[in-house]
Amino acid sequence: MVKFLLNKPIAVTMTFIAIMIVGLVSTTRIPVSLMPDVAIPEITVQISEANTSARELENSVVRPIRQQLMQVAHLDDIKSETTDGNGTIKLKFNYGTNIDFAFIEVNEKVDRAMNYLPRSIGRPRIIKASVGDIPVFYLNLTLKKTNSENYRDQNHKSQNVDSAFSLRSPVFDLQSSVSNDLFPVSQSFVELSRFASNVISKRLEQLPEVAMVDMSGLAKTEILIMPDLQKMEALGVTLDQLEQKINSNNIKLGNLSIRDGQYLYNVRFASSLQNKQAIEDIWLKTDTRLYQLKEIATVIDHPQKPKGLVLSNGQEAITMAVIKQSDAQMNKMKKSLKALVAQFENDYPDIEFEITRDQTKLLDYSISNLAQSLWQGALLAFLMLFFFLRDTKSPFLIGITIPITFVVCLLLFYLVGLSVNIISLSGLI
């Protein structure tokens, strides 16, 4: 083999140059991540049902689902924990199990178990974890002043029945009076929460390098209906009748297929209350009189009691955990994110944007350490060989071998589908 290579110097040189060019090109296409994209062999099933005791939830929901999940293939261990209103089932699989196939099988088992659960129970959440799910950046949003009309106007234009009363589970708090304790969050921060959810997060997720944005610290709102008891008594309307009327206007009847000859029409029936105005415009009828709900009750859109708090520099803030695509490069993502944040700062001067917990710093340090190790190793090898061999050709050949080997290794990374991360860089160093 060596004799063949020595007799073909031009072919060997051209092949060597071609490999180097392909290797240098591949270095710009290799995904760069903080950690390797390794799937954790665990899947979690989360069950939530408000106002349900732990014993009742365990017997009627957790146990039937657990019995179905015990039939999943390659299952190593299963544990469940139930508290009042919440249940969690953790499944641990054998190492080497394809977690994507296991995730599909767990979903199938949960769907099968839904036939034996109470109808009031919603479908459990099924979560699989991966090392690549670690957020790369955190973006904090705080208000510079209490009133911010710039982002509020755009928020109202973009919002599509946001949280006012949480379309999925509207809150109807029927009472005759309300205290100031029900307003723990300022209205300006509620507007910021809506704006962040409807505008900022959507624009961040439009970046090609961003997989998803997970938000914390949002201030949610609910609808408070305060009926006028005197008017209701005069009209002969009870609180139960009022609540029943509201619920009857917030229903979804599903889809209906209608065939007319050769044509098939899909008709969808829905009557949902989407905002405060829709609740106020509900029509009621007593005897011969027709009136609207706003004539006998006051409808208020106010913040819910906060369940958590996020602070940035001592101020109440909204934090966004930015998770990157598995095949994206962190440097490109960092540049795109900083450019978008600069645009945000220019478009919305009343909001302060701050990027925190930059995970790329550790990767940059590893890359710089790798480059330093390469130069130091090549220089040390060159000096030692020159000192012992007293020849410039052999040390020079050994000196250029180190970076060439590095480029060839990166080419193999690209061909195999590996990413540049802390673990692979440690091996290269």
Side-chain angles (χ1 to χ4, degrees), residues 175 177-187 190 222 224 226 300-306:
Q175 58 184 30
S177 62
V178 60
S179 63
N180 293 330
D181 295 337
L182 291 176
F183 298 87
V185 182
S186 63
Q187 186 63 28
V190 173
E222 62 185 358
L224 179 68
M226 298 185 298
I300 299 176
D301 182 5
H302 76 91
Q304 293 182 1
K305 185 177 180 181

Side-chain angles (χ1 to χ4, degrees), residues 172 174 238-249:
F172 301 113
L174 303 175
T238 63
L239 290 177
D240 292 337
Q241 292 176 342
L242 182 61
E243 185 175 2
Q244 183 179 3
K245 188 64 177 179
I246 294 173
N247 291 327
S248 64
N249 282 269

Side-chain angles (χ1 to χ4, degrees), residues 176-350:
S176 59
S177 62
V178 60
S179 63
N180 293 330
D181 295 337
L182 291 176
F183 298 87
V185 182
S186 63
Q187 186 63 28
S188 58
F189 191 77
V190 173
E191 295 292 337
L192 176 63
S193 300
R194 290 177 177 174
F195 178 75
S197 178
N198 296 329
V199 179
I200 301 299
S201 64
K202 300 296 188 297
R203 294 183 64 180
L204 286 174
E205 290 177 345
Q206 289 175 357
L207 294 177
E209 299 83 8
V210 177
M212 65 171 293
V213 176
D214 186 19
M215 293 186 292
S216 302
L218 293 174
K220 298 182 180 179
T221 59
E222 62 185 358
I223 294 294
L224 179 68
I225 303 175
M226 298 185 298
D228 190 329
L229 298 181
Q230 295 181 352
K231 291 183 178 180
M232 292 179 59
E233 185 178 358
L235 294 171
V237 179
T238 63
L239 290 177
D240 292 337
Q241 292 176 342
L242 182 61
E243 185 175 2
Q244 183 179 3
K245 188 64 177 179
I246 294 173
N247 291 327
S248 64
N249 282 269
N250 187 46
I251 57 175
K252 293 183 179 181
L253 301 179
N255 299 329
L256 179 65
S257 298
I258 301 177
R259 182 178 295 276
D260 182 13
Q262 297 180 353
Y263 299 96
L264 180 66
Y265 302 94
N266 293 322
V267 182
R268 181 172 180 267
F269 296 93
S271 176
S272 58
L273 300 173
Q274 299 185 348
N275 49 38
K276 171 186 172 183
Q277 184 66 33
I279 298 178
E280 291 178 338
D281 294 340
I282 293 177
W283 290 94
L284 299 95
K285 182 179 180 181
T286 57
D287 297 333
T288 59
R289 183 176 177 180
L290 190 65
Y291 54 90
Q292 290 182 308
L293 186 140
K294 59 184 177 182
E295 298 180 25
I296 62 171
T298 303
V299 182
I300 299 176
D301 182 5
H302 76 91
Q304 293 182 1
K305 185 177 180 181
K307 298 181 180 179
L309 184 63
V310 177
L311 297 177
S312 176
N313 297 324
Q315 280 188 297
E316 192 172 7
I318 298 171
T319 182
M320 298 183 175
V322 183
I323 302 174
K324 80 173 196 67
Q325 295 281 3
S326 60
D327 58 347
Q329 293 189 349
M330 295 185 69
N331 289 334
K332 291 183 179 180
M333 178 180 177
K334 187 175 182 179
K335 293 179 181 178
S336 301
L337 181 62
K338 286 188 174 181
L340 185 59
V341 170
Q343 184 178 353
F344 286 158
E345 293 175 346
N346 185 42
D347 294 341
Y348 316 114
D350 298 320

Side-chain angles (χ1 to χ4, degrees), residues 366-411:
S366 299
I367 293 176
S368 63
N369 189 18
L370 174 61
Q372 183 179 2
S373 299
L374 284 173
W375 286 109
Q376 291 177 353
L379 182 60
L380 181 61
F382 179 83
L383 293 177
M384 294 298 294
L385 290 173
F386 179 79
F387 178 77
F388 285 102
L389 298 178
R390 304 288 182 174
D391 183 18
T392 57
K393 293 183 179 180
S394 297
F396 179 76
L397 181 62
I398 299 299
I400 64 174
T401 301
I402 296 178
I404 290 174
T405 306
F406 174 72
V407 173
V408 175
C409 287
L410 292 180
L411 174 60

Side-chain angles (χ1 to χ4, degrees), residues 18 24 27 36 52 65 72 142 144 154 164 184 272 304 307 361:
L24 292 173
T27 56
T52 305
I65 296 179
V72 177
T142 55
K144 292 183 179 179
Q154 183 169 353
S272 58
Q304 293 182 1
K307 298 181 180 179
K361 294 181 179 179

Side-chain angles (χ1 to χ4, degrees), residues 120-171:
S120 60
I121 300 293
R123 191 182 188 279
R125 295 179 57 193
I126 304 174
I127 304 171
K128 67 173 182 177
S130 174
V131 178
D133 295 337
I134 300 175
V136 182
F137 301 96
Y138 284 85
L139 180 63
N140 295 339
L141 279 68
T142 55
L143 286 174
K144 292 183 179 179
K145 56 182 180 179
T146 54
N147 294 324
S148 179
E149 298 296 335
N150 293 336
Y151 72 86
R152 181 177 299 180
D153 293 341
Q154 183 169 353
N155 175 43
H156 288 319
K157 293 178 182 179
S158 63
Q159 94 175 22
N160 180 16
V161 187
D162 179 25
S163 57
F165 73 114
S166 176
L167 293 180
R168 300 179 183 173
S169 55
V171 178

